[in-house]
Amino acid sequence: MTPRSIFLLISIIQWGTSSSETICSFYDLAQNLGNNDDIPGESVRPVKNWKTPTTVYIDLSLYTVISMDTSLQSLTTYIWFIMEWKNEFMNWTPEEFCGIEKIVSPGQNLWLPDLYIYEMTEGDDNSPVIPYFLIYNDGLIIDSKPMRIVSTCNLDIFKFPFDTQVCYLTFGPYIHSVKDIIMLPKYNSSLVNMNSQGIFVSKGDWTLLDVGVSNATIWSDGVEYSQVIFQITIKRAPVVYIINLIIPSCFLVILDIVSMFIQMGTGERLGFKITLVLGFSVLLLILNDMLPSSIHTPVLGIFCCVCLAVMVFSTIGSIATSYMLMLSESQPSVPAWIKIWIMRHLARVLRFKVKPHKKDEVPIAGEGNDGAYNGKKCEKIAELQEKKDLQKGKVSQEVKLLKRLLAEILHIHQELTLSKEKEDAKSDWCTAALIVDRLVFLLYLFIIIVMFTVVLSLQMAKSLGIISSIEEESQEYAVLCPLPSYSTYNGAPTFLRRKTVEDAKLKRLHSQDWWEF
């Protein structure tokens, strides 16, 4: 080979090398991909063998909880969403394009999975529009964008406002069956929860406790569809409800208990109690606006209703005692059943000491229970005897005076006896009223203490259950939900699954019933 031919060969090689290094822009790479007729458009699933399903990986990070509509039982969240899959026809060699391994490109001409959120109730018109996709040289396509999702959530408000809600976001294809698209989580539950906890922004109403993920399948019309289920566990912040509702309710109940020490005879106690009942009714109206709409009544609503019922009961008890004191002025004697059941048996149960009535120290002969009647009889007998003596002319002036003095003394004794009987009856009515008042007070205290104990025990049990469940979930997910593993069935990759979505929701932690397809 001559020196001239060697020089020409070296020049050609250098020119080819320099020309290949000139393709160093994203535009040239995009033009090369756009002019490639082997890449199918958006209407064809990008696989070389139609029996090969497209594996789509899903990831989600919860950014914030915008609102929780308790009347509609809907949850509005803002998430960072990632979906990735492979286009088997789209690839290039980075060395031919100055080492470019990825490119950002609009996705108008790319095939997209028909992703559907099963719990969504409204469109995502308010979500930011991110029209770009990240494309790697091996055909991996990543669709990353923020999303605003309005979804349904079955609320359990029994422990409101100390409740914890569990909501689900289920992602899956709407048309393609499991033979075409397989949906899998990109990360396990531990990583998903860690990522969400790292970026979560609380607006004060809700606190994020846990985010878990699992994959499942569902059957519809004999067709099996793949799904990825995200479980979001959030806890309500109860400070606002404690300050605006629970503390005022407790103050009103304490005031109503203390009002039992107001004197019964005056009308101040009854008026004060009626005022407290009206104030508590206003709090119930506020509670009605705060409580979520549900067929299950929260324990706070039950507590307030029981407190109102007990306050009304104590008011009725005050009315009853006032009525007894009024009867002491009009009715001279206490009925026998009150003496037996209230002043004897109920007083013994309540440890109430009933003072016995004092009898006359100097009894008058012939006086019994009908002393007034005997006095009149003696007076009539004296008058008849006086008439007989006058007829006989044997009665002196001194005897007449003594007999008149005796008649006056008998009349005075009769008046004193009647007055004492009225005072004894009035004392009996007051005693019965005091016994009834003590019964109402003790029942009031018992019911309030029981209600407070039940509410506090429920709250403590709920708190301990949440802590233990979160620890168990984190441990279980770390073991049971690693990055998805594959097996093969008729040459196509398959995945571990469950029977239905309900099984996935109810047994996502205790995943011992998984099997290979």
Side-chain angles (χ1 to χ4, degrees):
M1 182 178 293
T2 61
R4 184 174 180 179
S5 60
I6 294 174
F7 176 77
L8 290 176
L9 180 60
I10 294 174
S11 300
I12 293 172
I13 294 174
Q14 291 179 350
W15 178 80
T17 304
S18 62
S19 62
S20 62
E21 292 178 354
T22 56
I23 307 177
C24 292
S25 66
F26 290 110
Y27 175 77
D28 296 326
L29 177 58
Q31 288 294 111
N32 181 72
L33 295 176
N35 295 330
N36 191 347
D37 297 334
D38 295 333
I39 300 177
E42 68 276 4
S43 60
V44 179
R45 189 166 59 90
V47 291
K48 296 180 179 179
N49 185 359
W50 69 274
K51 293 183 179 180
T52 303
T54 301
T55 303
V56 180
Y57 291 95
I58 300 293
D59 184 38
L60 177 150
S61 297
L62 181 62
Y63 180 71
T64 186
V65 175
I66 298 176
S67 65
M68 173 76 80
D69 194 335
T70 54
S71 60
L72 299 177
Q73 294 203 2
S74 64
L75 173 68
T76 304
T77 54
Y78 198 84
I79 66 172
W80 292 355
F81 176 76
I82 297 176
M83 178 174 60
E84 61 182 46
W85 67 96
K86 272 194 175 184
N87 190 326
E88 297 181 3
F89 298 94
M90 183 175 293
N91 53 73
W92 70 89
T93 302
E95 289 75 12
E96 296 180 357
F97 297 91
C98 301
I100 298 177
E101 296 181 353
K102 59 182 179 180
I103 185 174
V104 177
S105 174
Q108 293 88 351
N109 298 323
L110 296 177
W111 176 86
L112 299 177
D114 54 330
L115 186 68
Y116 178 73
I117 303 176
Y118 286 74
E119 291 83 7
M120 180 178 287
T121 58
E122 296 182 9
D124 56 349
D125 297 335
N126 296 325
S127 300
V129 178
I130 308 296
Y132 296 100
F133 294 85
L134 186 61
I135 305 173
Y136 284 84
N137 64 300
D138 59 350
L140 179 65
I141 301 176
I142 298 178
D143 180 13
S144 178
K145 57 185 177 182
M147 295 178 64
R148 180 181 181 273
I149 300 176
V150 181
S151 59
T152 59
C153 183
N154 294 325
L155 302 181
D156 182 13
I157 62 169
F158 179 72
K159 295 178 177 63
F160 174 87
F162 306 99
D163 55 333
T164 300
Q165 304 299 334
V166 179
C167 302
Y168 295 90
L169 292 177
T170 304
F171 296 84
Y174 193 78
I175 300 297
H176 294 85
S177 66
V178 73
K179 297 180 180 180
D180 300 324
I181 293 180
I182 297 175
M183 307 292 293
L184 290 176
K186 184 177 180 181
Y187 303 113
N188 58 26
S189 296
S190 299
L191 293 177
V192 172
N193 184 38
M194 183 178 64
N195 295 335
S196 298
Q197 295 285 357
I199 66 170
F200 184 77
V201 177
S202 176
K203 298 179 63 177
D205 296 337
W206 297 92
T207 303
L208 179 63
L209 297 181
D210 181 48
V211 179
V213 61
S214 62
N215 61 303
T217 57
I218 184 174
W219 289 85
S220 177
D221 296 331
V223 180
E224 189 177 16
Y225 298 91
S226 177
Q227 294 178 340
V228 174
I229 303 171
F230 289 90
Q231 176 176 291
I232 301 172
T233 305
I234 54 178
K235 178 178 174 56
R236 191 191 305 268
V239 178
V240 177
Y241 303 96
I242 292 175
I243 295 176
N244 296 333
L245 186 63
I246 297 178
I247 292 179
S249 300
C250 295
F251 284 162
L252 289 179
V253 171
I254 294 173
L255 282 176
D256 193 55
I257 294 175
V258 175
S259 67
M260 299 295 293
F261 296 96
I262 301 177
Q263 187 178 356
M264 291 187 304
T266 62
E268 295 180 359
R269 179 198 280 194
L270 188 59
F272 187 76
K273 281 183 171 295
I274 292 176
T275 304
L276 289 178
V277 170
L278 293 177
F280 204 86
S281 301
V282 174
L283 275 181
L284 285 183
L285 293 177
I286 299 175
L287 176 65
N288 187 40
D289 295 335
M290 290 183 175
L291 285 181
S293 299
S294 176
I295 59 176
H296 303 289
T297 305
V299 66
L300 179 61
I302 297 175
F303 172 76
C304 291
C305 289
V306 171
C307 290
L308 180 62
V310 175
M311 292 173 71
V312 172
F313 172 71
S314 66
T315 304
I316 295 175
S318 298
I319 295 174
T321 55
S322 300
Y323 180 70
M324 288 182 180
L325 295 178
M326 183 189 69
L327 289 179
S328 65
E329 301 291 339
S330 59
Q331 190 169 340
S333 61
V334 178
W337 67 271
I338 292 181
K339 290 184 178 180
I340 296 174
W341 293 104
I342 296 180
M343 299 180 64
R344 184 183 301 174
H345 299 294
L346 186 59
R348 187 179 305 168
V349 172
L350 299 178
R351 311 283 294 179
F352 188 91
K353 295 182 179 180
V354 180
K355 296 181 180 180
H357 300 301
K358 294 182 179 180
K359 297 183 178 180
D360 294 335
E361 296 180 356
V362 182
I364 297 177
E367 183 181 5
N369 294 332
D370 52 349
Y373 174 74
N374 291 334
K376 293 181 180 179
K377 187 176 181 181
C378 292
E379 187 177 354
K380 291 181 179 180
I381 293 174
E383 291 178 356
L384 292 175
Q385 187 66 32
E386 184 181 358
K387 289 180 181 180
K388 291 180 180 179
D389 293 339
L390 288 174
Q391 292 176 358
K392 294 180 180 180
K394 298 181 180 179
V395 181
S396 62
Q397 190 69 25
E398 289 81 2
V399 175
K400 291 181 181 179
L401 181 59
L402 289 175
K403 288 182 178 180
R404 288 189 178 183
L405 287 175
L406 178 60
E408 292 296 330
I409 290 173
L410 292 175
H411 181 70
I412 292 172
H413 181 267
Q414 177 185 357
E415 294 295 333
L416 291 175
T417 303
L418 293 175
S419 176
K420 186 175 183 303
E421 288 179 354
K422 290 182 180 179
E423 290 179 358
D424 291 342
K426 186 175 181 179
S427 177
D428 290 340
W429 280 115
C430 292
T431 303
L434 288 173
I435 295 172
V436 172
D437 189 67
R438 178 174 289 188
L439 174 65
V440 173
F441 178 71
L442 293 179
L443 288 177
Y444 199 149
L445 281 180
F446 176 75
I447 295 174
I448 294 300
I449 291 173
V450 169
M451 285 300 300
F452 269 104
T453 304
V454 170
V455 172
L456 292 178
S457 62
L458 286 175
Q459 173 58 22
M460 292 179 63
K462 183 67 175 178
S463 301
L464 294 176
I466 290 173
I467 295 174
S468 61
S469 64
I470 291 176
E471 292 177 353
E472 292 176 359
E473 287 177 12
S474 59
Q475 296 175 0
E476 291 288 338
Y477 272 125
V479 176
L480 297 177
C481 295
L483 290 176
S485 59
Y486 291 88
S487 61
T488 58
Y489 178 72
N490 290 340
T494 59
F495 56 96
L496 302 179
R497 63 177 178 85
R498 295 179 183 173
K499 291 182 180 180
T500 60
V501 175
E502 287 75 13
D503 294 335
K505 292 180 179 179
L506 294 176
K507 301 179 180 179
R508 66 179 185 85
L509 291 179
H510 308 283
S511 306
Q512 305 300 326
D513 59 339
W514 289 46
W515 66 86
E516 246 185 57
F517 182 46

